Amino acid sequence: EKTKQNKQKLLDDAQCAKEVLLSNNKFAQLLEDNGVEPPMKISARTGKETYALAKSDLGFKELLNHDNPKIQTYASARLGIKSTLEETRTQRLLDIAERGSLPVPLTYYGAHTGRWGGGGKINLQNLPSRGKEANMLKKAITAPDGYLIVDADLSQIEARVLAWVAGQTDLLDQFRNKEDTYKIMANKIYKVPVEKVDKLQRFIGKSVVLGCGFGMGHKKFRNMILQDGVDMTEDEAKKIIKIYRENNAKIVQFWQDTDDMLFEMIEKYPQFQKLGNGIILPDVGVKGWLLPNGLTIKYPNLMKKKEETEWGEETFNLYYDSKNGQTKLYGAKSVENIVQALARVI
């Protein structure tokens, strides 16, 4: 009921028809009618120019912080009306409650990296937990008399596995010694003593440690923290990414070694026999990686394509066939696959 009321309030505030907010073309026209040029982007799927009106698009996020409050209201209303996950998941749980107890369906090896997936359109592994209202879904699930529900998570699992597999021992020691890794990163960024790092600086340090281990560039980093209401200049974002990479040279080298091995995998058996602490083996037979538990990460039809960069230079990029069609691959992205697969094994 709260979700429905919030959506209705957004519509009332915007004084705009729901179909206008939901349609890209109509919303773009609404912006133009109010003297604002709709943000554009190049579609990764078609390679053609299209509206940048998805919630993750930087152009759309800038509308949420527009100088004109009216534009902010339109953008907020569009975001709220299009966000249906919370509403549909809540309704699904209500429907189950009318039938009986709650099943916990899981899909074995549901993801490319071997991680479990949710089944039956209820994924209890990723119920929202941030924010008072989002957490209501978790609290709505109750145990029978005499039983308890345990909600557990592995702390910083991907950041820890990445540091270990890449041989970034100084970062690993911070985790081992229970030091505040996020404050230490903030100290390197802002040059203030660890004990004097404030809340915002620690948040940036946390975002860097947890978000930049898989090759994230400055534009995407800026875009990511903007979702949490923190804005910074492009130059500041560039500086932060540079500091992270300088202080985590082994991780950066791991990206490069993985990239080199993927290219070699297309031609012949790679020169590097092992990767990542000596536990990852290239599997030329399936084009991918052989994990310590005997399972593989596969990149079907792995190939390289000659393409032009945005600066007009020619380069080779890697692609493979995924369930979403031909998908671009690069060293840092493959490192993310490896780390997620190892975390799953753990």
Side-chain angles (χ1 to χ4, degrees), residues 10 27 31 39 54-69 71-80 226-227 229:
L10 287 168
F27 188 75
L31 293 176
K55 66 179 181 180
S56 57
D57 289 331
L58 183 59
F60 179 74
K61 288 176 185 176
E62 287 173 346
L63 294 178
L64 292 167
N65 297 294
H66 199 274
D67 294 337
N68 185 342
I71 300 301
Q72 287 184 26
T73 303
Y74 289 148
S76 296
R78 174 180 166 88
L79 186 63
L226 193 59
Q227 292 182 53

Side-chain angles (χ1 to χ4, degrees), residues 27 38 51 102 105 183 187 248 263 269 273 278:
F27 188 75
Y51 292 122
L102 174 66
K183 281 189 175 182
N187 156 260
N248 293 279
F263 273 100
Y269 198 79
Q273 296 300 303

Side-chain angles (χ1 to χ4, degrees), residues 18-64:
K18 186 176 180 179
E19 56 267 23
V20 172
L21 296 172
L22 291 175
S23 163
N24 278 1
N25 290 333
K26 289 179 180 178
F27 188 75
Q29 186 61 55
L30 177 68
L31 293 176
E32 288 180 355
D33 292 344
N34 284 271
V36 175
E37 192 73 26
M40 305 297 288
K41 66 179 179 181
I42 301 299
S43 169
R45 187 173 58 84
T46 65
K48 297 178 181 177
E49 194 173 48
T50 186
Y51 292 122
L53 295 174
K55 66 179 181 180
S56 57
D57 289 331
L58 183 59
F60 179 74
K61 288 176 185 176
E62 287 173 346
L63 294 178
L64 292 167

Side-chain angles (χ1 to χ4, degrees), residues 5-16 73 77:
Q5 288 168 17
N6 289 341
K7 288 191 174 185
Q8 188 56 53
K9 185 179 184 305
L10 287 168
L11 283 173
D12 294 343
D13 290 346
Q15 296 182 337
C16 183
T73 303

Side-chain angles (χ1 to χ4, degrees), residues 93-260:
L93 291 176
L94 286 168
D95 293 341
I96 291 170
E98 290 180 0
R99 299 197 298 269
S101 58
L102 174 66
V104 185
L106 292 169
T107 304
Y108 179 76
Y109 226 88
H112 177 224
T113 54
R115 293 190 298 180
W116 294 79
K121 295 186 177 179
I122 51 162
N123 191 350
L124 296 189
Q125 297 187 112
N126 72 347
L127 282 179
S129 57
R130 289 185 182 179
K132 187 177 177 183
E133 287 191 20
N135 204 26
M136 288 172 70
L137 275 181
K138 279 191 174 181
K139 291 185 176 179
I141 300 170
T142 58
D145 290 343
Y147 290 85
L148 293 172
I149 292 174
V150 178
D151 179 11
D153 194 12
L154 290 171
S155 178
Q156 307 153 320
I157 182 65
E158 290 189 7
R160 291 168 185 262
V161 170
L162 174 63
W164 175 75
V165 76
Q168 193 69 52
T169 52
D170 55 338
L171 180 57
L172 200 56
D173 286 340
Q174 291 171 26
F175 288 125
R176 284 190 178 122
N177 299 331
K178 294 181 170 55
E179 298 175 63
D180 193 324
T181 308
Y182 308 145
K183 281 189 175 182
I184 292 171
M185 190 71 244
N187 156 260
K188 291 169 182 173
I189 295 169
Y190 297 105
K191 308 299 182 189
V192 295
V194 171
E195 63 275 9
K196 291 189 177 180
V197 169
D198 64 29
K199 189 176 179 181
L200 177 59
Q201 290 169 337
R202 186 181 185 277
F203 169 76
I204 296 298
K206 180 178 180 178
S207 300
V208 170
V209 171
L210 299 183
C212 298
F214 304 123
M216 183 184 289
H218 69 277
K219 289 182 181 178
K220 195 170 180 182
F221 176 73
R222 184 181 174 220
N223 196 356
M224 179 183 76
I225 62 165
L226 193 59
Q227 292 182 53
D228 291 293
V230 180
D231 196 8
M232 65 171 56
T233 66
E234 198 167 317
D235 284 342
E236 285 175 309
K238 276 183 184 177
K239 176 189 166 190
I240 287 171
I241 294 297
K242 185 171 182 285
I243 289 170
Y244 172 80
R245 294 182 180 182
E246 286 175 349
N247 283 276
N248 293 279
K250 290 285 182 69
I251 290 174
V252 175
Q253 187 60 51
F254 187 33
W255 302 342
Q256 187 58 58
D257 290 346
T258 304
D259 200 64
D260 291 343

